[in-house]
């Protein structure tokens, strides 16, 4: 596939790095230094110029491209780039935006702006935060089959009741499948007698209810998160509060700017908005932030987010989630005590990248950078699964493949060895990335 990426910042460079080994990638950027650095670091064709300029797009042979990804830091530039690409050819266009108003307009008619697929960075970050907020020790959450199925990656603390149990002993939930254990540089496909160790990252696939129940068994004292404090009332903080309200939460939100705090209070009827500085220790004491189940730091500044979450943890908060605008800081934040660091740019790059992986897939989740994936696929007449039991089909699939769930006519079916897969079923499958092409071809 020939893919043209416009914008060589953190998002564009990450997408280019992920795709360059398996696709022909062209990267356009207006900054000559970025273009030059790409020449030395990645196997891509760099083009210096303005991605909204038809002549620049023609220099990049956009007319022959299968896909155009507009990933600059400016929403309007990305939208105009997709429109200009349509003038040059019929490539599938993807636009990255920060402001949800563009996504709202696009969702009403999916061909608006000449954009075939739109990713909203701030809304995606908020959705990630909300998915993680109620699940102690969860590191990643994705939904499949219109919400019937959920994939979650849990880190198992050494002191957890689940540590040192076998999978058979830990699997006490009817609609849950243990898909994999990520252990250092190893991906383990668990069997009944596989022992779960402290420090393992366990990938489970099942109903949202079973996922929550398993989360409770991992950290019994962390169950039932109800008190969520959001620090920062920017777009991510606002969207996080709005989504939490939709789930029945009554969060507290701290915003220092008086005018913004007033606006937030008008927009969020179930949220208590506090006009103050979240790094003020007196405020933390007065508002009992240390008693909160979850504190989310969603300020624009990484250093302030780190300070706010560490102060909250010091005061006793159970779980701290920080927005990290610089992707390289994610591991650093988690190393110094932040429970989960969410990078909007990294999440956006992953969302766009996974959309290019398998156009057959209804949804794809990329796990731990690129080590494994979970895909949702509709079973057609050519699939090795159709009208066979999972036990029979397993012989034709790589050992690392696990059928984690089946969705049939709006019902979640837990796959077992004697489960027969039917035409039209949606299967949620775990696989290592190395055999992805083989798996998608057979399924």
């Amino acid at each position: 596939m020939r893919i043209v990426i416009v914008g060589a910042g953190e998002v564009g460079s990450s997408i280019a790095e992920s795709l360059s080994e398996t696709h022909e990638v062209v990267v356009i950027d207006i900054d000559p230094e970025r273009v030059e650095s790409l020449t030395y670091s990645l196997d891509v064709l760099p083009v210096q110029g303005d991605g909204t300029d038809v002549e620049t797009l023609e220099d990049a042979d956009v007319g022959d491209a299968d896909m155009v990804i507009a990933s600059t830091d400016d929403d309007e530039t990305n939208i105009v780039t997709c429109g200009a690409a349509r003038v040059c050819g019929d490539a599938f266009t993807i636009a990255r935006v920060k402001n949800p108003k563009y996504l709202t307009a696009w969702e009403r008619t999916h061909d608006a702006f000449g954009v075939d697929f739109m990713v909203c960075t701030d809304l995606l970050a908020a959705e990630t935060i909300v998915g993680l907020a109620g699940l102690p020790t969860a590191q990643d959450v994705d939904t499949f089959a219109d919400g019937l199925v959920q994939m979650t990656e849990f880190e198992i603390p050494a002191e957890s009741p689940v540590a040192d149990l076998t999978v058979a002993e830990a699997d006490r939930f009817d609609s849950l499948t243990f898909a994999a254990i990520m252990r250092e540089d190893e991906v383990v496909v668990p069997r009944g007698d596989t022992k779960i160790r402290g420090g393992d990252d366990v990938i489970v696939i099942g109903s949202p209810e079973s996922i929550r129940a398993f989360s409770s068994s991992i950290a019994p004292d962390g169950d039932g998160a109800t008190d969520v404090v959001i620090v920062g009332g920017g777009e991510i903080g606002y969207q996080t509060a709005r989504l939490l309200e939709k789930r029945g939460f009554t969060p507290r939100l701290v915003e220092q700017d008086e005018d913004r705090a007033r606006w937030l209070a008008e927009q969020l009827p179930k949220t208590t908005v506090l006009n103050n500085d979240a790094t003020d220790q007196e405020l933390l004491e007065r508002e009992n932030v240390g008693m909160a189940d979850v504190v989310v730091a969603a300020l624009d500044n990484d250093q302030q987010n780190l300070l706010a979450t560490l102060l909250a943890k010091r005061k006793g908060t159970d779980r701290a989630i920080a927005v990290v605008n610089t992707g390289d800081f994610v591991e650093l934040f988690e190393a110094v005590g932040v429970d989960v660091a969410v990078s909007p740019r990294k999440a956006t790059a992953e969302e766009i990248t996974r959309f290019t992986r398998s156009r057959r897939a209804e949804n794809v989740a990329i796990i731990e950078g690129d080590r494994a994936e979970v895909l949702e696929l509709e079973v057609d007449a050519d699939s090795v699964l159709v009208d066979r039991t999972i036990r029979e089909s397993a012989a034709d699939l790589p050992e690392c493949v696990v059928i984690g769930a089946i969705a049939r006519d709006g019902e979640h079916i837990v796959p077992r060895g004697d489960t027969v897969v039917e035409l039209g079923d949606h299967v949620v499958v775990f696989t290592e990335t190395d055999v992805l092409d083989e798996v998608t071809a057979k399924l």
Side-chain angles (χ1 to χ4, degrees):
M1 187 185 296
R2 181 179 172 84
I3 300 172
V4 176
I5 301 170
V6 179
E10 187 174 331
V11 174
S13 296
S14 179
I15 296 169
E17 183 178 4
S18 180
L19 300 179
S20 59
E21 291 186 7
T22 53
H23 301 281
E24 181 185 356
V25 176
V26 181
V27 180
I28 300 173
D29 197 279
I30 203 165
D31 186 338
E33 292 184 2
R34 284 182 176 174
V35 171
E36 185 177 358
S37 67
L38 282 172
T39 306
Y40 296 107
S41 60
L42 298 176
D43 184 17
V44 301
L45 175 63
V47 175
Q48 182 187 344
D50 183 351
T52 65
D53 186 341
V54 171
E55 290 186 5
T56 300
L57 295 176
E58 288 176 341
D59 289 343
D61 292 329
V62 166
D64 295 330
D66 299 290
M67 183 176 292
V68 173
I69 300 170
S71 62
T72 74
D73 286 332
D74 184 79
D75 291 358
E76 289 78 9
T77 296
N78 292 336
I79 291 170
V80 172
T81 295
C82 289
R86 282 286 180 86
V87 174
C88 300
D90 60 354
F92 189 90
T93 56
I94 299 177
R96 165 202 171 197
V97 297
K98 289 191 67 178
N99 197 320
K101 71 179 182 182
Y102 294 116
L103 181 65
T104 301
W106 177 80
E107 286 177 334
R108 292 190 179 183
T109 95
H110 277 195
D111 59 354
F113 311 126
V115 175
D116 292 307
F117 183 67
M118 185 173 282
V119 180
C120 179
T121 302
D122 290 347
L123 184 58
L124 185 63
E127 289 171 343
T128 302
I129 291 166
V130 171
L132 294 168
L135 297 172
T137 84
Q139 304 298 301
D140 193 10
V141 178
D142 276 281
T143 57
F144 299 85
D146 295 325
L148 280 177
V149 179
Q150 189 169 301
M151 182 284 297
T152 305
E153 178 180 356
F154 288 103
E155 182 181 359
I156 307 299
E159 67 277 9
S160 169
V162 172
D164 297 324
L165 295 181
T166 65
V167 167
E169 292 168 336
D171 187 5
R172 303 190 298 271
F173 312 100
D174 292 338
S175 54
L176 193 72
T177 300
F178 283 73
I181 296 174
M182 316 299 284
R183 182 176 292 163
E184 296 176 351
D185 294 329
E186 183 182 11
V187 179
V188 178
V189 176
R191 309 299 177 198
D193 59 355
T194 303
K195 183 170 284 191
I196 299 171
R197 304 174 189 168
D200 282 349
D201 284 347
V202 176
I203 311 294
V204 292
I205 299 171
S207 67
E209 295 78 17
S210 67
I211 296 288
R212 285 195 294 270
F214 181 59
S215 175
S216 299
S217 71
I218 296 172
D221 295 336
D223 187 33
T226 56
D227 186 9
V228 180
V229 176
I230 303 165
V231 177
E235 192 63 41
I236 294 177
Y238 163 64
Q239 293 294 340
T240 299
R242 184 182 64 82
L243 293 173
L244 285 170
E245 286 189 348
K246 289 180 68 174
R247 294 195 177 196
F249 287 82
T250 53
R252 291 179 283 166
L253 191 156
V254 184
E255 168 56 42
Q256 190 168 9
D257 183 86
E258 184 176 351
D259 291 338
R260 179 67 176 177
R262 185 179 297 110
W263 182 87
L264 290 165
E266 293 171 354
Q267 300 298 316
L268 300 167
K270 298 179 182 178
T271 300
T272 301
V273 179
L274 306 171
N275 179 210
N276 216 316
D277 179 3
T279 60
D280 182 347
Q281 297 204 45
E282 289 186 8
L283 170 75
L284 301 180
E285 293 281 0
R286 186 170 65 251
E287 297 296 334
N288 293 318
V289 172
M291 305 278 293
D293 300 310
V294 182
V295 169
V296 177
L299 297 160
D300 292 332
N301 182 282
D302 286 350
Q303 289 78 9
Q304 288 181 330
N305 283 337
L306 180 60
L307 177 59
T309 47
L310 293 182
L311 283 173
K313 291 288 285 186
R314 185 177 179 183
K315 296 295 181 182
T317 299
D318 290 336
R319 186 160 165 81
I321 301 173
V323 173
V324 183
N325 294 295
T326 305
D328 291 341
F329 287 176
V330 168
E331 292 184 5
L332 173 63
F333 272 49
E334 294 178 351
V336 299
V338 176
D339 293 296
V340 184
V342 175
S343 167
R345 287 185 173 91
K346 197 171 183 180
T348 302
E350 184 175 291
E351 177 78 4
I352 293 173
T353 300
R354 72 187 189 179
F355 190 81
T356 68
R357 289 298 173 86
S358 174
R359 296 293 290 277
R360 257 198 72 219
E362 303 284 331
N363 195 4
V364 182
I366 299 173
I367 298 172
E368 294 204 356
D370 211 4
R371 296 173 66 187
E373 299 190 11
V374 176
L375 305 93
E376 177 188 346
L377 297 163
E378 183 175 352
V379 176
D380 60 22
D382 297 325
S383 172
V384 298
L385 299 176
V386 68
D387 294 331
R388 302 173 73 192
T389 65
I390 290 176
R391 187 178 295 108
E392 290 170 335
S393 302
D396 296 323
L397 296 170
E399 290 185 6
C400 63
V401 175
V402 177
I403 309 297
I406 299 171
R408 179 183 300 158
D409 298 327
E411 181 184 357
H412 175 206
I413 296 171
V414 183
R416 297 294 181 248
D418 57 355
T419 303
V420 176
V421 179
E422 298 179 3
L423 183 70
D425 283 353
H426 284 240
V427 293
V428 180
V429 182
F430 172 91
T431 179
E432 291 186 41
T433 304
D434 291 346
V435 296
L436 178 64
D437 291 342
E438 178 186 353
V439 171
T440 52
K442 290 184 175 182
L443 298 183

